[in-house]
């Protein structure tokens, strides 16, 4: 082979290797400068009481600031997704498992601890009712939904509204629908067990008594279970003060009583003691032993929730 031809082929080969090396080097530099973007997490749009929020699909870490929502998550088998609950204040006995240290204390329902919530790095925050006013503060930092519902509709409609929001946010819509079907049947069955007659809903707190009407948080007694009110009650979410004389005059067939002090862990006169006087004792309800002491933590603190709602309704006829 001529020397000149051999040198030419070797030079060509060197150029080829160099070009490949430069090309590979260039590719490496390109990868370093522009790393592959992390896959974007799929999200769902959840419409709630204060707007629409984009929530990551299948959230793994959830902070709950409202016990009805916590009850619903527990009912859906999602307790292991909860990372923070409000423990500054009473935690209802039916949800006592969440007192465990593995659940971060994120303040109270009225005053959530923003810094404590940040440390949990939540995918989702659920609030409502007592914590609803804090929505702007929380939504500025975390995907947040509000499950508050108005008192004007039936109790079932309220539970449906709140649990449907939660079901959408956590991807458990079918499960929520099934449990709502169970709740509807419980309400229908309990309604058939409710005696005919008039009823009055009373709440005792610090020795004082208030009366609550159809549009109150306790209105399921009237709106869902068909009890006739023993008299007109002003549309006041906190109830109207009522005297023992007025209770005697109304003379209801049934009394439904909530002990607020017991519900929130305050010491004071128990409801039975507050109402035990000649005036109340002269009513048909008292004389016929038709006084139902509702579970205050379920009716006053938790208020809704898929399991709690069933227990509330079933408890409304106990002893009648």
């Amino acid at each position: 082979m001529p020397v000149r031809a051999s040198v030419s082929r070797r030079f060509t080969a060197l150029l080829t290797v160099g070009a490949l090396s430069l090309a590979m080097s260039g590719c490496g530099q390109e990868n370093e400068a522009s790393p592959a973007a992390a896959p974007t997490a799929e999200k769902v749009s959840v419409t709630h009481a204060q707007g629409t929020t984009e929530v990551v699909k299948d959230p793994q870490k959830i902070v709950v600031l409202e016990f009805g929502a916590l009850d619903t998550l527990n009912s859906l088998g999602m307790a292991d997704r909860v990372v923070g609950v409000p423990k500054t204040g009473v935690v209802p006995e039916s949800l006592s498992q969440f007192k465990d240290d593995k659940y971060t204390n994120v303040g109270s329902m009225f005053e959530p601890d923003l810094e404590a919530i940040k440390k949990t790095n939540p995918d989702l925050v659920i609030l409502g009712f007592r914590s609803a006013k804090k929505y702007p503060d929380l939504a500025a930092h975390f995907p947040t939904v509000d499950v508050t519902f108005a008192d004007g509709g039936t109790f079932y409609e309220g539970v449906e509204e709140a649990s449907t929001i939660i079901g959408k946010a956590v991807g458990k819509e079918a499960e929520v629908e099934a449990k709502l079907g169970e709740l509807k049947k419980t309400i229908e069955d309990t309604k058939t067990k409710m005696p005919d007659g008039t009823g009055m809903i009373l709440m005792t707190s610090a020795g004082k008594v208030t009366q609550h009407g159809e549009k109150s948080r306790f209105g399921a007694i009237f709106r869902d279970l068909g009890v006739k009110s023993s008299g007109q009650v002003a549309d006041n979410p906190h109830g109207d003060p009522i005297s023992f004389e007025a209770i005697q005059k109304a003379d209801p067939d049934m009394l439904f009583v909530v002990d607020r002090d017991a519900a929130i862990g305050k010491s004071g006169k128990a409801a039975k003691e507050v109402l035990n006087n000649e005036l109340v004792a002269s009513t048909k309800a008292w004389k016929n032993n038709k006084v139902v002491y509702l579970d205050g933590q379920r009716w006053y603190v938790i208020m809704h929730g898929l399991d709690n709602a069933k227990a509330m309704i079933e408890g409304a006829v106990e002893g009648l």
Side-chain angles (χ1 to χ4, degrees), residues 22-281:
L22 284 171
M24 292 176 67
S25 175
C27 287
Q29 288 173 356
E30 184 178 351
N31 286 340
E32 288 172 9
S34 304
T40 302
E42 187 176 353
K43 293 186 177 182
V44 294
S45 295
V46 182
T47 300
H48 53 89
Q50 298 199 49
T52 299
T53 298
E54 296 292 312
V55 178
V56 63
K57 188 176 183 181
D58 195 24
Q60 299 297 305
K61 296 190 290 185
I62 305 172
V63 167
V64 190
L65 295 168
E66 199 273 325
F67 287 116
L70 184 61
D71 179 86
T72 289
L73 286 175
N74 194 39
S75 178
L76 296 173
M78 302 194 74
D80 61 335
R81 303 287 181 90
V82 176
V83 295
V85 297
K87 299 184 191 178
T88 305
V90 65
V91 176
E93 281 307 305
S94 62
L95 298 169
S96 60
Q97 69 193 80
F98 294 98
K99 294 178 182 176
D100 193 283
D101 289 342
K102 67 181 179 181
Y103 302 103
T104 298
N105 181 9
V106 291
S108 71
M109 291 185 285
F110 294 99
E111 293 295 337
D113 185 337
L114 197 61
E115 292 304 314
I117 296 173
K118 280 182 180 176
K119 290 178 181 176
T120 68
N121 192 26
D123 297 320
L124 172 65
V125 174
I126 303 176
L127 53 69
F129 300 96
R130 296 173 175 95
S131 53
K133 289 183 178 178
K134 298 297 181 181
Y135 177 82
D137 296 336
L138 291 159
H141 298 279
F142 319 107
T144 305
V145 299
D146 180 359
V147 298
T148 304
F149 56 84
D151 288 329
T154 65
F155 174 63
Y156 174 83
E157 289 170 343
V159 176
E160 180 183 40
E161 186 175 329
S163 60
T164 298
I165 291 170
I166 296 169
K168 177 78 173 179
V170 302
K172 294 284 186 180
E173 292 160 290
E175 290 84 348
V176 166
E177 187 175 350
K179 286 185 174 289
L180 284 171
E182 294 173 12
L183 174 60
K184 183 175 284 187
K185 187 175 186 312
T186 298
I187 292 173
E188 291 169 353
D189 291 345
T190 305
K191 191 173 181 178
T192 66
K193 298 174 185 175
M194 184 65 75
D196 291 334
T198 60
M200 176 180 282
I201 302 173
L202 301 175
M203 184 171 77
T204 64
S205 179
K208 298 180 179 178
V209 185
T210 49
Q211 182 184 9
H212 296 257
E214 294 186 13
K215 294 184 178 180
S216 72
R217 69 184 70 187
F218 311 127
I221 296 293
F222 302 120
R223 299 194 304 266
D224 296 72
L225 299 179
V227 174
K228 296 176 183 175
S229 177
S230 59
Q232 292 292 323
V233 184
D235 184 14
N236 183 345
H238 300 293
D240 279 347
I242 186 170
S243 66
F244 298 128
E245 288 81 2
I247 297 172
Q248 181 193 41
K249 186 178 180 182
D251 195 18
D253 295 301
M254 295 172 280
L255 281 173
F256 300 89
V257 181
V258 176
D259 187 331
R260 180 178 178 274
D261 292 338
I264 62 174
K266 271 191 174 181
S267 59
K269 271 190 173 181
K272 287 182 181 179
E273 191 178 353
V274 172
L275 297 174
N276 189 13
N277 57 67
E278 289 185 0
L279 296 171
V280 177

